[in-house]
Amino acid sequence: MNEIEQLSPEQLINTIFEPLSEQDKSLPSRITQYILQGDELDVLVEFDKLCQISDIAYKLHECMCRPCRLYSLLTSVKIEITEQARIEFYRRWTGTFSSEQIIRFARVFATLCDRLSVVEVSSEKLPTWFIYLLYDGLITTLPCYCENEDKIEGRENWSIHQLHQLLEIEQKGLGENLLFAIFDRQNINVYSHSHFQYFIMVNDLLPYIQEHITLFKQLPTQGLAKLGQVDQLNFIQKHMELQLQLVDFIAMQALNSSKQVSQLATEILLNLPLELVQPQLQDLLTSGSVKERSNAAVLLARIITDPVILQQALASETNKTVIAAIESALSRLETANVVKQQTELVIPDFEPLCDTPLPITARDVLQQNFQEFLIECEKKRKKR
């Protein structure tokens, strides 16, 4: 057991905030008292006044080793003791600290990070302290993500239900927005996107989503960022049980205006059983918007062989754009069927011809013809 692991809860929290003593020697102990006991409520007000001065806010963030940044501190050559203490805090988690203490801990970070332009929140549907808590606990204090990982080492005590409870303590009903914290990627660029993979590895996320399947399906229509929609589909792709539950949702996402989202959804859709996918696309073909009807026709042409469905839709369609899309889909389907028929042709095995010797009379005829040919060639040569 190393030195950090032997620290008491009070010593651990004090170690995390000890760098603030450079600005005010009383801050670490008062913040520790606030987090553990709920006392010293005015310390947040005083800390916020300090952080309102931009230079001081950035200096404090730097001396605390940049908490809540979207990169791993474990890539540093040396890990400071305050960083080691934060890693230990997230490892102990609810095994040592109450939900209320964790919330107060996160509020201190939010007081600082809310004043920094270098730290952007990934969703506006949750309090910033919660977002920063996930940033620091699931990005900053963890190793860089590797694709072959199936669990988060050092976060065994974390679960999605604990995170839900934290939000409910903050405000009853706020837990319904938890899936935005897990999947939303507002203000996140493609370079930072990969750092969020630990978010979707939190224990019990799959059963939680199944319990809240309606909320999960509503995320894109409620403002989930495009990168978040990609992560949502990637998660669905990893779990067949979700794919089977969400055929209608995947079909809608296959018609998404984002090329990246629609391509991934289409890939998932085309690997599902035809009897599940076809009814969803038929429904969109007849009752969707103009764009949905057009795209549904294109997708149907990729999965069916019988043109009757498209022909019936064409007979009742009145919109010119959709008519053109259906006609194009029918043409593509006809071509695909012809190609399929050609690939299914039965070609008989090769049978070599029998070698039949020529009769003597035939040889004489050939020899005579050859002699006549030589004579003609000789005449042409002399004329030159």
Side-chain angles (χ1 to χ4, degrees), residues 126-172:
L126 297 121
T128 56
W129 65 258
F130 189 76
I131 299 296
Y132 297 139
L133 183 68
L134 295 188
Y135 279 8
D136 205 51
L138 295 176
I139 296 177
T140 318
T141 56
L142 283 175
C144 294
Y145 171 76
C146 295
E147 290 189 7
N148 60 348
E149 293 182 83
D150 57 0
K151 65 178 182 178
I152 314 175
E153 187 175 350
R155 300 295 179 269
E156 291 83 2
N157 289 334
W158 286 52
S159 79
I160 198 71
H161 294 96
Q162 290 171 346
L163 297 178
H164 183 98
Q165 183 186 20
L166 291 178
L167 291 172
E168 287 295 318
I169 290 173
E170 171 78 357
Q171 179 184 323
K172 186 173 178 57

Side-chain angles (χ1 to χ4, degrees), residues 167-224:
L167 291 172
E168 287 295 318
I169 290 173
E170 171 78 357
Q171 179 184 323
K172 186 173 178 57
L174 189 58
E176 292 190 355
N177 286 347
L178 174 57
L179 290 174
F180 272 99
I182 301 299
F183 288 101
D184 206 3
R185 305 291 181 260
Q186 301 289 344
N187 305 312
I188 303 302
N189 60 47
V190 293
Y191 303 105
S192 301
H193 181 214
S194 62
H195 297 309
F196 285 81
Q197 292 307 304
Y198 285 123
F199 280 40
I200 58 177
M201 292 173 63
V202 175
N203 291 330
D204 302 323
L205 179 58
L206 176 60
Y208 181 86
I209 288 174
Q210 291 175 313
E211 292 168 11
H212 299 81
I213 199 71
T214 301
L215 292 175
F216 185 69
K217 291 167 66 173
Q218 291 172 350
L219 293 179
T221 58
Q222 292 184 1
L224 190 69

Side-chain angles (χ1 to χ4, degrees), residues 5 41 48 136 145 156 178 243 267 272 281 337:
E5 291 174 344
L41 296 178
D48 184 52
D136 205 51
Y145 171 76
E156 291 83 2
L178 174 57
Q243 294 180 40
E267 178 185 332
L272 288 172
L281 293 179
N337 285 339

